[in-house]
Amino acid sequence: MKVTGTGSRSMMFAHGFGCDQQMWDAVAPSFEQDFRVILFDYVGAGRSDLSAYDSSKYSSLNGYADDVVEIGRTLGFHGAVFVGHSVSAMIGALASLKAPEMFSELVMVGPSARYLDDDSYHGGFSRAQIDELLEFLAENHLGWSAAMGPAIMGNPDRPELGERLTSSFCHTDPKIAREFARVTFLSDNRDDLPAIKARTLVLQCREDIIAPSTVGEYVHSRIPGSTYVLLDATGHCPNLSAPEEVTAAIRAFV
């Protein structure tokens, strides 16, 4: 965990699947003059203690949300801002429901409450597609990373971005990555959204193959009073591909 900044309020940045706290390097420093900024790695990611990983605890997003709440209580969060990318958007939502006083604002970057299509709900993936994706990851971690990194990142005219995401995927522990991917892609948090009390900003990218615009619009429609911003950024990781735009949108909201 890394704590910087001089502000009286806290702003916590949480990374997505297969990533670590360095994914916020181009965004988080911009808030250090006004906030106490907290960066951290989930257990199993980055420089975390891999021996602390517990398959049972992290068999649902609640295990990760419990860790967020534990960090918040340790640092005395009250009325803090949680900024979560991808799966962390739902982890932050769950944390805010577990400890409502902890976060007054949620910023969801590329959120999805459910990746699977379900009757009239369009999550972006069929069950067969998710099963194929998980099987590929289980059979060939490095091959999956090399194929999915550039695809998830988008922005083919800037291949260095896809290479960075691929490198991040490759450095994750294969077993933990496999289990986190399963939890991520099979979770269903749709019923949690209407209970969110924190002011919420939904940041949606264009041409996002992981969380298409209909998914972001759904999240926005289900969270009372939420704000929706469609970024000009493309791909699933605007914190890497368009950090200035993400920073400006967060600053305008908080």
Side-chain angles (χ1 to χ4, degrees):
M1 184 169 64
K2 178 181 176 184
V3 181
T4 59
T6 57
S8 58
R9 292 182 69 200
S10 296
M11 180 180 286
M12 179 183 227
F13 289 86
H15 62 81
F17 165 79
C19 300
D20 61 23
Q21 61 181 276
Q22 295 183 41
M23 295 295 156
W24 291 109
D25 282 355
V27 175
S30 300
F31 295 93
E32 291 177 347
Q33 286 191 332
D34 302 310
F35 292 87
R36 180 173 61 156
V37 172
I38 294 89
L39 295 164
F40 71 103
D41 296 325
Y42 287 114
V43 172
R47 296 183 178 180
S48 66
D49 179 6
L50 297 186
S51 67
Y53 184 79
D54 180 332
S55 292
S56 177
K57 174 180 179 179
Y58 299 111
S59 63
S60 81
L61 296 184
N62 279 295
Y64 295 94
D66 287 341
D67 287 351
V68 169
V69 171
E70 182 178 348
I71 293 172
R73 286 181 173 151
T74 299
L75 297 179
F77 283 2
H78 186 87
V81 181
F82 181 93
V83 183
H85 173 232
S86 194
V87 66
S88 273
M90 291 305 116
I91 293 173
L94 292 172
S96 77
L97 297 177
K98 292 173 180 286
E101 78 290 351
M102 190 168 287
F103 297 108
S104 58
E105 275 108 15
L106 299 178
V107 178
M108 300 181 169
V109 183
S112 175
R114 180 170 170 81
Y115 292 92
L116 278 171
D117 296 335
D118 182 7
D119 296 328
S120 60
Y121 172 78
H122 177 68
F125 297 88
S126 67
R127 181 59 197 241
Q129 289 173 317
I130 291 293
D131 287 344
E132 181 179 6
L133 185 151
L134 295 175
E135 288 171 9
F136 183 18
L137 177 59
E139 294 171 357
N140 187 347
H141 180 229
L142 296 182
W144 184 95
S145 300
M148 295 303 295
I152 292 172
M153 178 58 71
N155 296 276
D157 57 324
R158 299 161 68 190
E160 69 277 10
L161 294 176
E163 291 168 3
R164 180 175 179 184
L165 190 60
T166 297
S167 177
S168 181
F169 287 166
C170 289
H171 282 85
T172 57
D173 179 88
K175 174 180 179 292
I176 295 174
R178 186 166 63 247
E179 293 184 359
F180 194 13
R182 178 168 292 279
V183 170
T184 297
F185 287 109
L186 297 182
S187 290
D188 185 352
N189 297 101
R190 289 176 294 178
D191 290 343
D192 296 313
L193 301 180
I196 294 174
K197 302 299 183 186
R199 289 180 62 234
T200 301
L201 170 64
V202 177
L203 295 182
Q204 175 67 44
C205 289
R206 304 173 192 274
E207 302 174 23
D208 184 344
I209 66 168
I210 297 297
S213 58
T214 52
V215 172
E217 290 165 1
Y218 175 86
V219 171
H220 165 53
S221 72
R222 297 280 290 169
I223 301 176
S226 62
T227 299
Y228 176 85
V229 173
L230 179 61
L231 302 172
D232 287 330
T234 57
H236 189 58
C237 303
N239 41 332
L240 293 179
S241 64
E244 299 85 359
E245 187 177 16
V246 171
T247 299
I250 296 174
R251 188 170 294 286
F253 180 69
V254 299

